[in-house]
Amino acid sequence: MFLDDIFLFLYFVGAIDGKGSPMKSPRTGTRPATLLLAVILMAVLSGCGGGDSGTVSSTPPPPGPTGTGISGIDSIRREFLDAVNQARSVGRICGNTSYPAAPPVAWNNALAMAAYLHSEDMATNQFFSHTGADGSSPGTRITRQGYDWRTYGENIAWGYPTVSAVLQGWLGSDGHCRNIMEPAFTEIGAAYAEGPYQGIPSAPYWTFDLAAPR
């Protein structure tokens, strides 16, 4: 794994409500997360804390019935959804905030396509940011795919070789973990695209979009 590699980067966008404002917890204020690796955070998600460490027993919904025809989506869809729902099925601590187990999320191909197009944009244009080459925000890219969102979040990463590795990287980072455990999110989509970055010939650019529809 590359957890101690200086070429690993992580970003996250906090949950945004339908008015475009960051969601804040009544119990905790917005605060910066700190990491030992090269990590930059665009915004801090301050979600609801909780002390329940039990499990969620409801069965995770299956992915959509058809694929997208894009390897960077279809090859990871089942594994990614299962890994996220497994992570949400138990209570965990994200930074200093305790989260109870969260309900399972469903896969959404519109979110996956928004994620893929951003990964492809970053890989093609060799940059690493939540802001697209055309200036787009995550919310704009999700809307372009016909998804009418009420709230959304986004995690991105570069260099992690597998679904398991990138999920573990995010779960070990305060803000990214909060996005994964946020109970307001009901649907997800994720993708990767291969491309060079800072002299490295090729590695995966990951984008993970989480949302809830209106």
Side-chain angles (χ1 to χ4, degrees):
M1 305 303 178
F2 303 138
L3 291 180
D4 60 349
D5 191 319
I6 62 172
F7 292 108
L8 288 184
F9 295 86
L10 295 169
Y11 268 85
F12 84 98
V13 166
I16 306 296
D17 64 21
K19 298 179 181 178
S21 301
M23 295 173 61
K24 294 184 179 180
S25 165
R27 297 178 58 188
T28 58
T30 299
R31 56 183 173 79
T34 57
L35 294 176
L36 298 178
L37 300 177
V39 177
I40 303 174
L41 305 182
M42 277 188 64
V44 175
L45 166 65
S46 183
C48 299
D52 181 8
S53 61
T55 61
V56 171
S57 60
S58 54
T59 302
T66 60
T68 63
I70 297 171
S71 177
I73 297 174
D74 297 342
S75 65
I76 65 167
R77 181 178 60 163
R78 168 56 74 180
E79 182 183 3
F80 200 100
L81 180 64
D82 288 349
V84 170
N85 281 327
Q86 177 60 37
R88 287 168 65 94
S89 72
V90 296
R92 67 181 63 246
I93 296 175
C94 299
N96 295 321
T97 303
S98 178
Y99 278 81
V105 291
W107 187 268
N108 182 280
N109 277 342
L111 293 176
M113 184 60 69
Y116 175 75
L117 291 174
H118 187 54
S119 288
E120 182 70 12
D121 184 23
M122 290 190 292
T124 299
N125 294 294
Q126 298 184 41
F127 72 96
F128 189 75
S129 173
H130 286 287
T131 302
D134 62 355
S136 61
S137 68
T140 298
R141 294 189 293 272
I142 292 170
T143 299
R144 285 174 181 169
Q145 298 307 311
Y147 191 97
D148 187 17
W149 53 267
R150 174 174 54 83
T151 181
Y152 73 81
E154 182 177 84
N155 289 354
I156 63 175
W158 179 86
Y160 289 88
T162 65
V163 168
S164 176
V166 75
L167 258 295
Q168 288 305 309
W170 283 327
L171 287 170
S173 165
D174 186 357
H176 305 85
C177 178
R178 288 169 180 256
N179 267 356
I180 293 170
M181 295 302 295
E182 174 55 54
F185 296 138
T186 60
E187 296 181 311
I188 66 168
Y192 73 93
E194 295 276 347
Y197 191 70
Q198 293 191 346
I200 304 301
S202 183
Y205 288 77
W206 296 89
T207 303
F208 175 21
D209 287 334
L210 312 90
R214 292 185 189 276

